[in-house]
């Protein structure tokens, strides 16, 4: 498991605006190879049904500390609501499909690509694949979907030793860092 460091750069009630910022960041990045990781918390049968239709192979486990039940143990997710769903290494077009299915449920999409561009203003060369991510936490303040919200949060991920790249990236899309840089286990 590797870690990146994530910094929020946008909180907005407008999902379309959050996706616009994500697209701008991806235009800066080396996306020769890009995929998305998807996660959500399904609290109702309707949320679970919509999400399972678009990510039928997703792993799931009962959401909350010390609650039994997971896809590895067998059984059905509907019997263990709320559940946390996770699907990895999906094609990029799945991001918006997944967010649409999530509706008002807390959901996370992380774009994983080949690297960030050089940031000469902060003395950084091109960034490699480790630490090169953008995350959109829909209906959440945090990467782990523990803090449901009426807003969507965009995070840029960088290597810890390249922390200056995060505010530099925010500036490239007309924004600024709005929170602390924090470790983000993958």
């Amino acid at each position: 498991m590797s870690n990146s460091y994530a910094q929020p750069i946008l909180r907005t009630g407008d999902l379309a605006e959050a996706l616009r910022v994500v697209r701008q960041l991806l235009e800066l990045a080396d996306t020769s190879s890009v995929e998305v990781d998807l996660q959500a918390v399904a609290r109702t049968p309707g949320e679970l049904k919509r999400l399972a239709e678009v990510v039928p192979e997703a792993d799931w486990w009962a959401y909350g500390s010390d609650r039994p039940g997971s896809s590895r143990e067998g059984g059905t997710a509907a019997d263990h609501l709320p559940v946390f769903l996770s699907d990895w290494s999906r094609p990029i077009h799945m991001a918006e499909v997944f967010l649409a299915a999530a509706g008002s449920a807390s959901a996370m999409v992380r774009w994983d690509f080949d690297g960030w561009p050089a940031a000469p203003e902060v003395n950084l060369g091109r960034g490699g694949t480790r630490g090169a991510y953008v995350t959109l936490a829909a209906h959440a303040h945090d990467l782990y979907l523990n803090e449901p919200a009426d807003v969507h949060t965009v995070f840029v991920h960088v290597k810890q030793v390249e922390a200056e790249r995060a505010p530099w990236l925010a500036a490239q899309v007309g924004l600024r860092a709005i929170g602390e840089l924090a470790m983000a286990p993958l």
Side-chain angles (χ1 to χ4, degrees):
M1 177 177 284
S2 81
N3 295 316
S4 66
Y5 283 76
Q7 191 158 32
I9 65 166
L10 175 69
R11 283 206 173 92
T12 178
D14 184 348
L15 183 59
E17 179 185 7
L19 285 166
R20 179 187 57 77
V21 168
V22 167
R23 283 190 288 277
Q24 288 177 311
L25 289 163
L26 292 175
E27 287 175 10
L28 296 171
D30 177 354
T31 56
S32 301
S33 171
V34 62
E35 60 190 24
V36 293
D37 299 328
L38 311 166
Q39 298 179 346
V41 177
R43 298 183 185 285
T44 68
E47 290 172 351
L48 179 59
K49 181 179 185 292
R50 287 191 314 272
L51 288 162
E53 286 174 356
V54 299
V55 288
E57 302 298 319
D59 289 330
W60 64 268
W61 53 93
Y63 183 74
S65 60
D66 300 324
R67 291 188 59 234
S70 72
S71 52
R72 291 185 182 159
E73 296 170 10
T76 62
D79 293 336
H80 297 279
L81 290 171
V83 296
F84 190 86
L85 296 152
S86 183
D87 202 5
W88 303 92
S89 304
R90 306 299 294 162
I92 192 169
H93 78 274
M94 287 299 297
E96 292 190 43
V97 171
F98 183 75
L99 290 169
S104 61
S106 295
M108 185 278 299
V109 177
R110 184 179 56 238
W111 287 260
D112 181 354
F113 43 87
D114 290 332
W116 288 119
E121 298 88 345
V122 292
N123 298 315
L124 293 172
R126 183 187 179 283
T129 55
R130 191 173 69 77
Y133 311 103
V134 173
T135 298
L136 170 55
H139 300 288
H141 278 282
D142 66 311
L143 292 168
Y144 307 103
L145 307 179
N146 290 328
E147 299 175 41
D150 291 333
V151 296
H152 316 291
T153 307
V154 176
F155 297 84
V156 293
H157 296 250
V158 298
K159 297 175 191 173
Q160 183 180 20
V161 298
E162 297 181 352
E164 301 84 11
R165 191 183 305 275
W168 180 85
L169 287 163
Q172 301 313 296
V173 296
L175 298 171
R176 61 180 180 76
I178 57 171
E180 298 298 315
L181 190 68
M183 188 172 68
L186 302 177

